Amino acid sequence: MEEVEMGNRIGVNRERSRRSRSDLGVSGLDPNVKLRLTDRDYQLMAFLYDQKFASLLVIYYRFFDQRKSGADPLPKNLWVTRQRLAILRQAGLISSQRIFTDARAVYLLTGLGFQVLRDQRGMELPISPAIEVEFRTFEHDKRVTMCRVVLEKQGKCLAWYPDRHLRATRGYPGAVRAFKEVPLQVIPDGIFISSKNERVALEIEHTPKDRKRYQEKLDVYRRLFMGIHSQDLDHRPVVERVHFVASSDRIGKDLNEFFYDPNRFRVHTYEELVGFLGKEALGI
């Protein structure tokens, strides 16, 4: 099965993927490396910037997957994806790193790749790219990335703002007031613009929490829904809904007991959400 370019929407200030190409003329690039970047290449690099890192399979799902169903088999060896990543790596735009707990390498954006996005695409990049994988948050970060991929492929996420972007800019997307007015525990794993043009907070719940922690989070989100902390220019709350993803049925049950308003909260297990891509995705 051939892997081909996908046309799904992605992230802040990202365009739809097209087949147009542009020359790479950046100081620091090896002059012996001849490379013409596609829009998909830029989007892939922006994705690595947002998510800090991504595995081969995640990159395949987000940018090369042309299967009609998650039940369909994956292409043999993901060869087209591997080839393109090898080219970007040879050009110095991305790097790879291995984690001692995982046999598979992950890919990160390099300083040169960061420069290309900033200078050639005019992207607002408030912080430097991750230079290495944080082992402490590795599993959590992987799950956040997979949830983003699924939501984008389902057409439910039209733009994505990762937590590191929110912390760096100290603000919600479109909000007038600053993030510093809101308690830090309410900074979600990401905020995305939904297909209904709502601002939705994504929260990955990886470990059980006591009732007091859940109640505190519920109280903060209720205040945000009411616009007490901050509103945008259209007088809409900066967060309009919250999407929880639980790592287990037990955590999902606990979340449903507290966050029971279906108009404001939605709870899925990680297996329910990511299973959309197929059984291989659950092993990432």
Side-chain angles (χ1 to χ4, degrees):
M1 182 185 299
E2 182 183 3
E3 302 164 55
V4 298
E5 179 176 348
M6 296 292 290
N8 296 325
R9 299 179 178 90
I10 179 172
V12 186
N13 295 326
R14 319 298 200 250
E15 302 173 345
R16 280 183 176 273
S17 180
R18 301 185 182 92
R19 294 186 181 275
S20 62
R21 300 173 180 268
S22 59
D23 291 317
L24 178 63
V26 179
S27 60
L29 183 67
D30 185 344
N32 296 318
V33 176
K34 297 189 180 299
L35 175 64
R36 294 174 67 84
L37 291 176
T38 66
D39 283 340
R40 181 176 63 189
D41 293 329
Y42 287 114
Q43 292 177 355
L44 193 160
M45 290 191 292
F47 182 82
L48 292 179
Y49 172 79
D50 282 347
Q51 305 306 123
K52 298 187 285 190
F53 65 87
S55 68
L56 169 71
L57 193 52
V58 168
I59 293 170
Y60 163 76
Y61 283 133
R62 180 58 190 86
F63 297 100
F64 297 85
D65 188 5
Q66 189 65 9
R67 299 171 304 153
K68 297 184 182 299
S69 167
D72 294 340
L74 296 174
K76 185 177 180 180
N77 204 34
L78 304 181
W79 184 243
V80 174
T81 309
R82 289 180 188 274
Q83 282 186 315
R84 195 61 191 172
L85 290 175
I87 290 172
L88 296 176
R89 183 181 176 190
Q90 182 184 12
L93 299 170
I94 65 174
S95 64
S96 63
Q97 182 178 334
R98 290 191 180 275
I99 305 300
F100 70 89
T101 57
D102 197 321
R104 293 164 293 195
V106 295
Y107 296 88
L108 300 88
L109 185 70
T110 64
L112 179 60
F114 175 78
Q115 181 184 344
V116 168
L117 290 178
R118 185 187 57 198
D119 296 347
Q120 291 204 358
R121 302 301 262 191
M123 291 184 177
E124 296 182 8
L125 307 175
I127 50 180
S128 299
I131 59 175
E132 61 182 4
V133 176
E134 293 182 60
F135 176 73
R136 181 179 59 85
T137 60
F138 179 60
E139 293 296 331
H140 182 83
D141 291 343
K142 285 198 305 181
R143 291 186 173 230
V144 172
T145 297
M146 285 301 297
C147 291
R148 172 187 173 176
V149 169
V150 171
L151 292 170
E152 287 180 336
K153 287 182 68 64
Q154 291 177 335
K156 296 177 181 178
C157 170
L158 306 186
W160 173 264
Y161 301 81
D163 61 343
R164 62 198 302 262
H165 176 93
L166 300 174
R167 291 178 188 276
T169 58
R170 305 293 298 179
Y172 289 104
V176 176
R177 299 183 187 178
F179 220 134
K180 61 186 177 183
E181 299 183 34
V182 184
L184 288 178
Q185 68 263 28
V186 81
I187 297 179
D189 293 305
I191 289 180
F192 65 90
I193 308 303
S194 74
S195 56
K196 298 179 181 180
N197 197 35
E198 295 175 317
R199 294 192 196 90
V200 183
L202 179 70
E203 294 263 16
I204 309 298
E205 295 294 336
H206 196 56
T207 57
K209 294 181 175 62
D210 59 36
R211 298 175 66 86
K212 181 180 179 181
R213 291 281 301 279
Y214 284 139
Q215 187 63 53
E216 290 173 349
K217 183 170 289 190
L218 176 60
D219 292 342
V220 171
Y221 273 123
R222 281 176 171 168
R223 291 196 295 271
L224 285 175
F225 295 152
M226 295 172 64
I228 292 176
H229 279 301
S230 181
Q231 292 181 334
D232 69 5
L233 294 174
D234 296 326
H235 302 288
R236 292 164 49 198
V238 292
V239 173
E240 296 166 280
R241 286 195 299 115
V242 183
H243 193 140
F244 287 102
V245 180
S247 63
S248 68
D249 291 336
R250 175 196 167 186
I251 296 175
K253 181 180 178 180
D254 291 344
L255 289 168
N256 275 310
E257 289 181 2
F258 275 89
F259 304 95
Y260 49 80
D261 182 353
N263 295 319
R264 291 295 192 181
F265 302 103
R266 178 168 296 181
V267 178
H268 284 294
T269 64
Y270 183 77
E271 184 175 354
E272 287 173 338
L273 184 66
V274 177
F276 167 82
L277 295 173
K279 64 180 185 299
E280 295 88 352
L282 294 172
I284 295 178

